[in-house]
Structure formats: C-alpha cells, structure tokens
Amino acid sequence: MSNILSSTTVQQPWLLPMENLPKVTGYSYSLRLSRHAKNNHAARNFSKWMKKAMQSEASS
C-alpha cells in the first residue's frame, strides 16, 4: 500500500458501499499490514478507517 494511495483514499470518498448488493453472511475479511506498513502513518490511518467502516456496516 502506498502512502499516497492510503491517505488519498481516506481523504476522498472513494470507498463507498455499492448499493443493491445482496447481503451474504458467513464470510469474513482480513486486513494485513506488513511490519513496515505498521510503522507507516498513512497505512495505520487507512487501517483504522477500514476497520471502523466494516464494524459500522456489520452493526447496521
């Protein structure tokens, strides 16, 4: 994940839920960051944003 991609993706509303998709239960997602990325501010912010968005979607 590049610094530019992760910071721009969080700042811009580029990752939005697609409408009219069927809900599918039983599947899970994982987000893995390399050791280098864990020390990267932009990657950590993207990771936090993605986790929050997925938790929000799961609880709705």
Side-chain angles (χ1 to χ4, degrees):
M1 172 187 306
S2 73
N3 295 351
I4 295 169
L5 175 62
S6 58
S7 62
T8 302
T9 302
V10 171
Q11 292 170 1
Q12 303 293 326
W14 291 349
L15 294 178
L16 299 174
M18 293 183 67
E19 295 188 21
N20 301 324
L21 289 179
K23 298 271 183 185
V24 179
T25 59
Y27 290 93
S28 64
Y29 297 89
S30 64
L31 175 63
R32 293 179 172 227
L33 297 176
S34 68
R35 286 185 207 144
H36 174 74
K38 287 180 182 179
N39 295 325
N40 180 298
H41 181 73
R44 282 196 322 269
N45 282 345
F46 179 79
S47 174
K48 288 177 187 175
W49 174 82
M50 182 62 79
K51 288 177 186 176
K52 183 178 177 182
M54 292 179 83
Q55 289 170 346
S56 173
E57 182 66 24
S59 65
S60 62

